[in-house]
Amino acid sequence: MHPPPPAAGVAMDFGQNSLFGYMEDLQELTIIERPVRRSLKTPEEIERLTVDEDLSDIERAVYLLSSGQDIQGTSVIANLPFLMRQNPTETLRRVLPKVREALHVAGVEMQLTAAVAFLTILQEESVSVHTYAHSFLQVILLHLEQRDTGVSNAWLETLLAVIEVLPKETLRHEILNPLVSKAQLSQTVQSRLVSCKILGKLTNKFDAHTIKREILPLVKSLCQDVEYEVRSCMCRQLENIAQGIGTELTKSVVLPELIELSRDEGSSVRLAAFETLVNLLDIFDTDDRSQTILPLVKSFCEKSFKADESILISLSFHLGKLCHGLYGILTPDQHLRFLEFYKKLCTLGLQQENGHNLENQIPPQVLEQEKKYTSVRKNCAYNFPAMIVFVDPKNFHMELYSTFFCLCHDPEVPVRYTIAICFYEVSKLLNSGIYLIQKELITLLQDESLEVLDALVEHLPEILELMSTGGESSVQENKLSSLPDLIPALTAAEQRAAASLKWRTHEKLLQKYACLPQIISSDQIYYRFLQRMFTIMMTNNVLPVQKAASRTLCVFLRYNRKQEQRHEVIQKLIEQLGQGKSYWNRLRFLDTCEFIIEIFSKSFFCKYFFLPAIELTHDPVANVRMKLCYLLPKVKSTLKIPADKHLLQQLEMCVRKLLCQEKDKDVLAIVKRTVLELDRMEMSMDAFQKKFYEKDLLDQEKEREELLLLEMEQLEKEKQQNDGRPLSDKIFDKKRKEIKKSKLIRSQSFNNQAFHAKYGNLEKSASKSSTAAYAPSVSGLAKTAVLSLTDDSFRARSASNVPPPYSSNPALPSTSRGTSSTADSKNSGNKDPQPRKAMSKSRKSNP
C-alpha cells in the first residue's frame, strides 16, 4: 500500500527534478541580488565621501568642489541658491570660482543643475542685477553651445530670462555685439540656432532705430540661412520681432520674409511661416490680408492633403483663428470653401475604416497615420465654437449640425472629450437654437468613457439651465419637458461613475447634481435621485463621495415642495443616520447637520436637527463625540435669544456632561478648547443687530423662501381642487416670482451705506446687558465640572426643556421657537444594541 498523498499546499517533493528546479530559482534570486551588492559602497569609498561635520556651509562647499566626487559637486551646485541667500558675499568670493572650474569638465547632470541653480538665483533676486551680470553672465554665455541639446537649451532658457532684466548697455556690449559673429554662416548650426532665439528676445529691449540698424540685418541673414533648421527657427521668432518693431517695419521687412519662407522647399519652414502669418493677422490691414495673405493661405490649404500629416495637424489647430482673422474679407465662394475644408478635416480618416478590430492586424504605419488623423479631428473639435461664429449661429442647423453630430459620435475618445469640453461654449453661442443639440447632450452623458463624462460635467449646471430656458433668461416655462431621455441619462451616468474606480468623477457629478431643483420637478428628484443619495451616503466607501451626496441631498430637501416628502426625508436622516447602528453613519449625520446649517435657515435646523445632533454627546464611540465637539460652535450660532433660550440650556447641559463624565483624554482636550470657543461667541438676538446684519438678513431670506414653498404647496392643492379659477393661477405665479426674487436678493452683496441709510435707527434692545442675561457663560462650565451629573439626572433635567414633536408627524423630533411648553423627547443617546469596544487611538482623529 502506498501512503496517502499529503494535503495540497503542504507537501514538498524532494525528488531530483524538483531539487534542480529549486536550485534554478535560487540562482535567479542570486542574479537579482547582484546589482544591489554592486551598488553598496566599500569602506574606502565611504571614507572618501565623508566630510568633517565641523565645517561651515561655505567651507564644505569649497572642499567638495575641490576634492569631492561629481555627485557631491552636483549637490553643492544645487544648493547654490541657499548659499546665496545665506551668505552672498562669501559665496561669490569663494564658491563661485570653484563652480566655474568644475563646469569646465562637468557632465550633463552637473550642467543641467547649474543652469537651473543660476536661474533660481536670478528669480529670487538674491543679488542686484549688476552683481548678477558681473558674476554669472559670462558663465552662462560660455556654456551656451553644448553638444548635448538638453544642456544647451537649459542654459539658453536661463540666458533668455536674464535678458529680461539686464540694462540696455549691458545687453549691447555683452550679448548683441558678440551675436554678430555668432550668427555668421561660418559658425556651427547650434550657434546660429541660439542666435535666432536670442534675437527674438532682444527685439523688445531696444528702440526701433537700433533694431533696424543692428538687429534686422541679422534677422534677414538667418531667414536665408542654408540650413532649413535655422530658417525655421528664425521664422518662428518673427512674431516676437514684429511685435517689437511696429506695423510699418513689419509690413516692409517681416512680411516679405514670411512670403518667401512660405514658399520654402522645407516643409517645416513652410509650416513655421504659416503659423506665424496666422498669429500676425491682427497686425496687417485689410489690403494685406486680402491681397497677400489670403492667396498664401489658400495655396497652403490646397497642398496640405498632399503633404505630411503634421502639416494637417497644425492647420487644423489654427483653422479657427485663421477663419476669424479672415472673416469679413472672404467672398461667399471663399467662405464656402473654407467651411467645406473644415468639414473634410472633421471626418479625416473615418472613411478608411477597413473592418479591422485587432490592433495586431493593422500595420504600424497605418496605426501611426490613424493617430495623426485623430489629432486632426481633435483639433477640429477644439475649433468648433469658432466655426459657429464663422457661419453665424443662425445657420448652424444647415451648415454645421451634421459635423457636430459626427464629432459627438467619433470613435476616438480624445475627439469626444474635446467636443464635451466645448459643449458649454457651443450652447452659449446657439442661444435660442440650443434645442438642436439636446440629443447630443444625451449622447455624451451616455458615453462609455468616463473622461468624456468628466469633461461634460464641468459645466453641466450651466448647460442644463440654458436648455431649460431655451437660451432666454426671461422664459418661465421649462423647455426640457420635451426631453424625456434626460433623467435616465443622468441616473445612468451616476451609476457608471459609481461602478468605476474614478471616485473624483463620481464626486464631481454628485456636486453638479445640486442644480437639478432648478431644472426638473420636485417629484422627479424625489423619486429618481433622492433615494439614490441616501444609498450612496449609507453604502459608499469613499468619504468625499459620501459628503458630496450628503450636500446634494440637503439641496434637494431645501427645494422640495411637498411637506410630507420633506418630513419623510428628515425622519430617515435622523433614524438611519443619526440613530444608526454604525458609528460611520452617525458621523455622516453630523456632516449632514453642517450642510443643513449652511443651506437652510437657523429656525429650520433648530426645529428638526438641533436635539438629534446634541444627543450624540451620549454616543459610545469617541470619534462621534469628538466630531460633535468640533460642530458645537456652528450649532450654537443657529440660536437666537430669547426665543431659543431653552435650546441654549440644553446645549449648556450637554457640554457640562461632557466636561464631567468624558473619560477619553483626546475628546476631553477638544471639549475644553470648544468650551473656550463657545464662551467667546456672541449670541444673535431676535431683533436685527448691526454686527450680525448681513448674516441675519440672509437667514431671513432663507426662512422666507421656506415659507413661500409651504404657501406654494398649499396653492397647488387649491389649484387642483379649483382648477377653473384664474385667481389661483395669478397667485401661484406671484409666489413663484417671489421665490426667484428672494434667491436673487440672497445672492447679492450688501454694502455698509445701504445699511446705515435704512437701518440707522435700530433699537438699542440688543445691548450687551440683555445678551449677557440670556447667554450663559460657558467658561463657567469648566468651574462646575466637578459636579456629579449622572445620565438619569441629565435626562431628567433635559426632559423639561424638550419641545413637542411636529404635530403632523409624531415620530419626527422638532423644536418650535418662542414656546415655553415642553414634553418628553425620545432619548437617542445610546443607539447601539450593544456597547462598543473602545476604538484605537489611530481612529479617534476627526475624519
Side-chain angles (χ1 to χ4, degrees):
M1 294 180 61
H2 296 283
V10 179
M12 294 185 65
D13 186 4
F14 291 97
Q16 187 175 8
N17 294 333
S18 298
L19 284 175
F20 280 126
Y22 296 142
M23 291 174 65
E24 290 176 358
D25 293 341
L26 290 174
Q27 289 176 355
E28 290 179 2
L29 290 175
T30 306
I31 294 173
I32 293 173
E33 289 181 355
R34 280 176 188 170
V36 179
R37 289 176 180 172
R38 290 196 191 103
S39 66
L40 297 177
K41 302 296 182 183
T42 64
E44 293 78 9
E45 290 174 328
I46 294 175
E47 181 66 25
R48 288 199 302 269
L49 293 171
T50 303
V51 182
D52 188 359
E53 295 181 357
D54 296 332
L55 295 177
S56 66
D57 290 338
I58 299 294
E59 293 171 342
R60 185 185 299 109
V62 172
Y63 172 77
L64 291 176
L65 288 170
S66 302
S67 57
Q69 296 188 2
D70 286 346
I71 188 173
Q72 292 174 314
T74 303
S75 176
V76 171
I77 294 175
N79 201 40
L80 200 59
F82 170 77
L83 295 176
M84 288 294 298
R85 291 193 300 268
Q86 190 180 50
N87 193 343
T89 304
E90 286 299 304
T91 303
L92 293 175
R93 187 176 69 86
R94 299 182 59 187
V95 179
L96 191 58
K98 295 294 182 181
V99 172
R100 290 184 188 136
E101 294 176 7
L103 288 176
H104 281 300
V105 292
V108 172
E109 186 176 356
M110 187 179 288
Q111 291 274 357
L112 291 173
T113 304
V116 173
F118 283 21
L119 180 59
T120 304
I121 293 170
L122 175 72
Q123 294 171 342
E124 292 181 352
E125 300 179 358
S126 302
V127 293
S128 65
V129 174
H130 175 75
T131 304
Y132 187 93
H134 180 266
S135 304
F136 295 94
L137 183 58
Q138 288 303 320
V139 182
I140 297 171
L141 293 172
L142 185 63
H143 294 90
L144 275 178
E145 299 178 27
Q146 297 284 336
R147 291 183 179 180
D148 188 277
T149 306
V151 174
S152 178
N153 290 335
W155 283 113
L156 179 60
E157 182 182 351
T158 302
L159 177 62
L160 296 179
V162 174
I163 290 175
E164 289 288 343
V165 299
L166 290 180
K168 289 183 180 180
E169 289 304 315
T170 304
L171 288 173
R172 181 187 296 275
H173 290 98
E174 300 292 340
I175 298 178
L176 182 57
N177 291 341
L179 202 63
V180 176
S181 61
K182 295 288 185 182
Q184 299 302 318
L185 284 173
S186 58
Q187 298 293 325
T188 63
V189 173
Q190 180 67 24
S191 176
R192 303 203 299 274
L193 289 173
V194 169
S195 300
C196 293
K197 296 178 181 179
I198 294 176
L199 284 172
K201 181 65 72 171
L202 284 176
T203 310
N204 295 325
K205 306 297 292 185
F206 292 99
D207 57 274
H209 177 70
T210 304
I211 294 172
K212 186 176 181 180
R213 183 168 54 88
E214 299 185 28
I215 294 180
L216 288 183
L218 293 176
V219 171
K220 289 183 178 181
S221 174
L222 291 170
C223 283
Q224 299 169 5
D225 196 278
V226 295
E227 296 292 337
Y228 75 92
E229 295 172 314
V230 179
R231 298 196 302 274
S232 176
C233 183
M234 192 66 253
C235 183
R236 294 191 181 278
Q237 299 301 319
L238 290 179
E239 180 182 353
N240 295 329
I241 293 171
Q243 293 172 353
I245 64 179
T247 306
E248 293 302 323
L249 279 177
T250 299
K251 291 175 62 176
S252 61
V253 178
V254 174
L255 184 57
E257 294 295 333
L258 281 173
I259 294 173
E260 184 174 352
L261 290 170
S262 66
R263 299 166 182 158
D264 195 277
E265 59 184 7
S267 61
S268 62
V269 181
R270 296 196 303 271
L271 180 60
F274 168 75
E275 293 178 357
T276 305
L277 278 171
V278 173
N279 293 331
L280 292 177
L281 277 175
D282 295 336
I283 294 180
F284 302 119
D285 56 26
T286 304
D287 292 338
D288 290 329
R289 279 184 279 178
S290 60
Q291 298 174 9
T292 305
I293 298 176
L294 181 58
L296 290 175
V297 170
K298 287 172 60 179
S299 175
F300 188 82
C301 292
E302 290 170 357
K303 297 177 181 178
S304 60
F305 282 100
K306 301 177 183 179
D308 184 53
E309 286 82 1
S310 58
I311 302 289
L312 285 175
I313 293 175
S314 175
L315 179 57
S316 62
F317 181 76
H318 291 88
L319 191 58
K321 190 174 184 179
L322 177 63
C323 292
H324 176 74
L326 297 177
Y327 189 81
I329 67 170
L330 298 176
T331 64
D333 182 59
Q334 292 170 339
H335 190 280
L336 183 60
R337 285 188 179 183
F338 273 100
L339 180 59
E340 292 300 323
F341 180 74
Y342 172 75
K343 291 180 180 179
K344 189 175 181 180
L345 291 179
C346 287
T347 58
L348 186 66
L350 298 181
Q351 301 90 347
Q352 300 178 4
E353 296 292 334
N354 51 13
H356 291 297
N357 294 323
L358 299 176
E359 289 191 1
N360 55 10
Q361 297 178 352
I362 305 176
Q365 61 271 21
V366 176
L367 282 176
E368 188 64 28
Q369 186 183 53
E370 288 182 357
K371 288 181 181 178
K372 292 181 179 180
Y373 288 161
T374 300
S375 298
V376 171
R377 301 199 302 274
K378 176 184 175 182
N379 290 337
C380 289
Y382 167 78
N383 282 303
F384 194 83
M387 297 309 294
I388 292 180
V389 176
F390 184 66
V391 303
D392 195 312
K394 296 179 181 178
N395 300 323
F396 169 79
H397 186 263
M398 183 181 299
E399 302 289 352
L400 283 176
Y401 174 74
S402 59
T403 303
F404 186 68
F405 178 89
C406 290
L407 292 173
C408 290
H409 291 80
D410 194 276
E412 299 297 331
V413 172
V415 181
R416 304 197 304 274
Y417 173 82
T418 306
I419 200 66
I421 292 177
C422 299
F423 201 95
Y424 176 50
E425 293 297 325
V426 173
S427 302
K428 289 193 297 184
L429 289 170
L430 292 182
N431 201 8
S432 59
I434 193 174
Y435 68 93
L436 295 169
I437 60 173
Q438 287 182 346
K439 293 182 179 179
E440 282 62 43
L441 173 64
I442 303 300
T443 299
L444 294 177
L445 281 173
Q446 295 173 339
D447 196 282
E448 60 184 9
S449 171
L450 284 180
E451 294 178 10
V452 177
L453 179 63
D454 187 84
L456 183 67
V457 164
E458 191 66 37
H459 292 286
L460 185 62
E462 295 87 349
I463 294 171
L464 292 178
E465 183 180 1
L466 287 171
M467 287 196 170
S468 65
T469 60
E472 301 173 7
S473 58
S474 59
V475 175
Q476 297 293 333
E477 71 274 9
N478 192 324
K479 296 192 175 183
L480 280 177
S481 56
S482 59
L483 192 61
D485 296 332
L486 175 63
I487 294 178
L490 290 173
T491 55
E494 186 277 321
Q495 290 171 0
R496 284 201 317 279
S500 72
L501 297 178
K502 297 182 178 180
W503 62 265
R504 287 182 177 86
T505 299
H506 193 199
E507 178 193 16
K508 183 194 296 187
L509 190 64
L510 294 175
Q511 291 170 346
K512 300 299 182 180
Y513 278 7
C515 73
L516 292 181
Q518 316 299 329
I519 308 300
I520 59 180
S521 69
S522 176
D523 282 340
Q524 288 173 319
I525 291 175
Y526 180 78
Y527 291 110
R528 300 301 298 272
F529 294 96
L530 204 144
Q531 183 56 45
R532 177 61 181 165
M533 298 300 113
F534 260 117
T535 303
I536 295 171
M537 291 171 63
M538 299 284 290
T539 61
N540 197 281
N541 295 325
V542 182
L543 180 58
V545 172
Q546 286 184 315
K547 288 189 174 182
S550 175
R551 193 184 190 286
T552 301
L553 183 142
C554 292
V555 174
F556 290 167
L557 178 63
R558 171 72 176 78
Y559 294 103
N560 189 283
R561 290 168 58 174
K562 291 189 176 181
Q563 192 171 8
E564 182 180 353
Q565 294 177 356
R566 286 197 299 274
H567 287 165
E568 180 185 344
V569 175
I570 294 170
Q571 186 170 353
K572 290 179 72 174
L573 284 172
I574 294 172
E575 292 180 354
Q576 297 184 21
L577 293 181
Q579 300 171 3
K581 294 182 179 180
S582 169
Y583 87 98
W584 189 257
N585 288 342
R586 300 196 294 278
L587 288 174
R588 299 293 73 78
F589 175 74
L590 293 176
D591 288 332
T592 306
C593 287
E594 193 169 356
F595 294 134
I596 292 288
I597 294 173
E598 172 194 347
I599 296 171
F600 287 81
S601 65
K602 296 178 180 180
S603 61
F604 183 91
F605 177 80
C606 290
K607 184 175 183 180
Y608 296 111
F609 291 94
F610 187 93
L611 293 179
I614 65 174
E615 280 179 355
L616 291 178
T617 53
H618 311 293
D619 199 279
V621 178
N623 276 25
V624 180
R625 301 195 301 275
M626 187 180 295
K627 189 174 183 68
L628 176 62
C629 290
Y630 285 115
L631 187 63
L632 285 179
K634 291 185 178 181
V635 171
K636 184 181 178 182
S637 68
T638 62
L639 300 178
K640 288 185 179 181
I641 298 301
D644 296 325
K645 180 183 176 182
H646 59 290
L647 296 180
L648 187 60
Q649 291 172 351
Q650 293 281 342
L651 178 63
E652 177 190 2
M653 293 169 64
C654 289
V655 176
R656 190 188 302 272
K657 180 176 177 62
L658 283 172
L659 278 172
C660 296
Q661 299 188 357
E662 182 58 55
K663 296 179 180 179
D664 188 282
K665 62 179 183 179
D666 295 331
V667 178
L668 186 59
I670 296 172
V671 171
K672 292 178 180 178
R673 290 202 300 267
T674 304
V675 165
L676 297 177
E677 185 176 353
L678 292 173
D679 185 43
R680 289 192 297 266
M681 290 180 62
E682 297 186 37
M683 296 296 298
S684 178
M685 309 294 292
D686 279 344
F688 274 92
Q689 293 174 273
K690 182 177 180 179
K691 63 179 70 176
F692 300 121
Y693 166 67
E694 185 171 334
K695 293 181 180 179
D696 288 345
L697 192 57
L698 287 173
D699 182 68
Q700 189 183 60
E701 287 299 326
K702 292 179 183 178
E703 194 168 348
R704 180 169 171 266
E705 287 182 29
E706 292 163 5
L707 293 174
L708 283 173
L709 285 172
L710 291 174
E711 293 180 16
M712 287 189 67
E713 180 186 4
Q714 186 63 31
L715 287 173
E716 285 179 349
K717 292 180 180 178
E718 295 178 2
K719 188 176 181 180
Q720 291 175 358
Q721 296 174 358
N722 308 304
D723 198 21
R725 296 176 60 185
L727 182 61
S728 297
D729 293 336
K730 293 180 180 179
I731 298 175
F732 182 79
D733 292 339
K734 181 180 178 181
K735 295 295 181 184
R736 182 171 59 186
K737 292 176 182 178
E738 286 181 3
I739 289 182
K740 289 189 176 182
K741 182 179 179 182
S742 62
K743 292 177 187 175
L744 180 62
I745 293 174
R746 184 154 55 87
S747 64
Q748 295 174 343
S749 60
F750 306 96
N751 55 50
N752 292 331
Q753 294 179 352
F755 167 75
H756 288 301
K758 189 172 182 180
Y759 295 94
N761 298 322
L762 289 173
E763 297 181 359
K764 304 298 182 180
S765 59
S767 63
K768 291 184 179 180
S769 59
S770 61
T771 305
Y774 290 110
S777 176
V778 187
S779 62
L781 297 176
K783 299 178 182 178
T784 60
V786 295
L787 294 177
S788 170
L789 295 178
T790 62
D791 287 344
D792 295 335
S793 64
F794 175 76
R795 291 170 186 146
R797 290 179 60 188
S798 62
S800 61
N801 290 307
V802 178
Y806 198 84
S807 58
S808 63
N809 193 348
L812 189 65
S814 62
T815 304
S816 300
R817 277 190 167 162
T819 59
S820 57
S821 60
T822 60
D824 291 337
S825 66
K826 179 180 179 181
N827 174 31
S828 57
N830 190 357
K831 281 88 178 175
D832 299 328
Q834 298 177 356
R836 288 169 176 75
K837 295 181 180 180
M839 299 181 63
S840 62
K841 293 296 181 183
S842 62
R843 300 180 64 184
K844 287 179 181 177
S845 59
N846 185 30

